[in-house]
Amino acid sequence: MNSWERLPIGELFSLEKGSLQSTKCTPGGYTFITASSEWKTHNEYSHDCEALVYAVAASGSLGRCHHYSGKFISSDLCFILRAKDEKKHPINYRFYQNVFRFLKDDIVAKTKAGTSKESISQKRFSAYTLPYIDIKHQSYWENKLNNLNDNIENFEVESTSQSSYITKLRQAILQEAIEGKLTADWRKENPVRKGDPDYDSEALLVKIQAEKEKLIKEGKIKKQKPLAPIKAEEVPFELPEGWVWTRLEDLGLFGRGKSKHRPRNDSSLFKDGKYPFVQTGEVAQSKKTGFKIYGAEKFYNDKGLAQSKLWPSGTLCITIAANIAETGFLTFDACFPDSVVGFTSLSGTYTPWYTRYFLSCAQDDLMKYAPATAQKNINLEIISKLVFPTPPLAEQQAIVDRVEKLLSMVDELEDQVSERKEQSEQLMQAVLREAFEGKPTISDNKTLEVNNA
């Protein structure tokens, strides 16, 4: 087996930062290489040579590697890489473009710096080591890698398209759930039974109101202000028989989180604690023993839903909390940061899950209530006053059962797309392994060990 040198990028290539800001580009006769996949033109050029141009300061394009030969100018968000010593270490640029493409994720992970604005550190990038193989082998493998890379890129385009269809399918399932379309056959077998909250939503609301009155008398909650009547223009679609439109606040209790602590920055807050800590974003329970400070309204049912009022990067955060320690908070108290709104269902254990489907579908509509600021926010009043399509209890259970079954099938499709993508990456690993180590077969799918330990 061949034994190739491992050299820092800074020994193989000279690194020069690009000079042109995109906002100062003047269309002209020369190529302006940007950090993105789409290039522009400029009326002047700074280089007339063959080079690689590597994006180092554009978060969405970080690690993208371009190849160009001729007159060009580069964005100031990129490094221009040229062979440092052509006699000692001659470079086939197209070959190493494929190497940089393949190692993109690892290079970015090991060389980036910053938080809100990530960028690749020139010092770390220069120190990152690559195998160097002789120029004859570089040229031999160039065409093979180019052809393989073209096939993989075509596959990735198709995978992206499939992922988009899967996302739309998932959303369509949830939309049909909250419109009652998924349970049309169920209703034929289970007609409305007036006065029974399991099969009549009006009776369900009466039952919930009675529970609230009981809690008010016990001093556990305060009396709520009367809710505004639902106007015809607020109703987005027609409901099935037995359903009613109501405000979300009619179905349960809302409360703001009270903890301003940041547990990730203070591990002592978790020592011998007993309160699960529900954060914004995905379901999150501390891997430690629990949070020490009780900071939220008490949950009166065995399931609840936490709805974040924060939208990092414009994305609504929804946290479902169930009676499962691994994926949510427990059945008693929970601690929320002040950026989370807690909702306690008084109607039944399936209501939080159904409510989650509704909130997922309502994200685009909710965005109009968020102020035009860098950090999108939505307040408790807006969430609690949402117009909500309310099925009877038994149908809520039927909806949740149906949706979870369908979504599990969608998850399987998503896993298949991910698996095929992983297989294509393993193929590239095997080919590069063969190129770097001189192996005669591409059947070995072990991870290519060409990066830093």
Side-chain angles (χ1 to χ4, degrees), residues 209-336:
Q209 186 57 39
E211 290 188 47
K212 285 189 176 183
E213 293 294 337
K214 181 176 180 291
L215 293 172
I216 292 172
K217 290 180 180 179
E218 294 173 351
K220 293 182 176 180
I221 64 172
K222 295 180 180 180
K223 188 174 182 178
Q224 298 172 342
K225 295 180 180 179
L227 297 173
I230 296 174
K231 301 176 182 179
E233 56 267 27
E234 293 183 88
V235 176
F237 51 83
E238 186 177 349
L239 291 180
E241 184 181 3
W243 293 35
V244 294
W245 286 106
T246 186
R247 305 284 182 188
L248 191 53
E249 188 174 343
D250 284 330
L251 296 180
L253 308 174
F254 279 91
R256 276 284 299 275
K258 298 178 181 178
S259 171
K260 294 182 180 296
H261 299 284
R262 296 294 179 262
R264 285 177 295 180
N265 299 331
D266 187 357
S267 59
S268 66
L269 292 173
F270 285 100
K271 187 177 181 181
D272 301 324
K274 64 178 181 179
Y275 301 110
F277 192 85
V278 180
Q279 305 177 61
T280 56
E282 296 298 323
V283 173
Q285 179 164 349
S286 171
K287 294 180 180 179
K288 303 181 182 180
T289 56
F291 201 54
K292 293 173 65 176
I293 304 171
Y294 171 61
E297 301 295 336
K298 190 167 184 175
F299 273 61
Y300 297 94
N301 231 311
D302 69 337
K303 295 187 180 182
L305 181 141
Q307 165 67 57
S308 170
K309 78 180 184 70
L310 296 181
W311 283 332
S313 303
T315 301
L316 181 64
C317 298
I318 297 175
T319 303
I320 187 72
N323 187 20
I324 306 173
E326 297 85 68
T327 58
F329 53 82
L330 303 177
T331 58
F332 45 94
D333 300 331
C335 183
F336 294 85

Side-chain angles (χ1 to χ4, degrees), residues 11 46 63 171 240 280:
E11 287 189 24
S46 59
Q171 198 68 14
T280 56

Side-chain angles (χ1 to χ4, degrees), residues 438-452:
K439 290 190 174 182
T441 177
I442 63 170
S443 60
D444 185 353
N445 286 334
K446 294 181 180 178
T447 302
L448 175 65
E449 298 175 349
V450 299
N451 43 26
N452 294 358

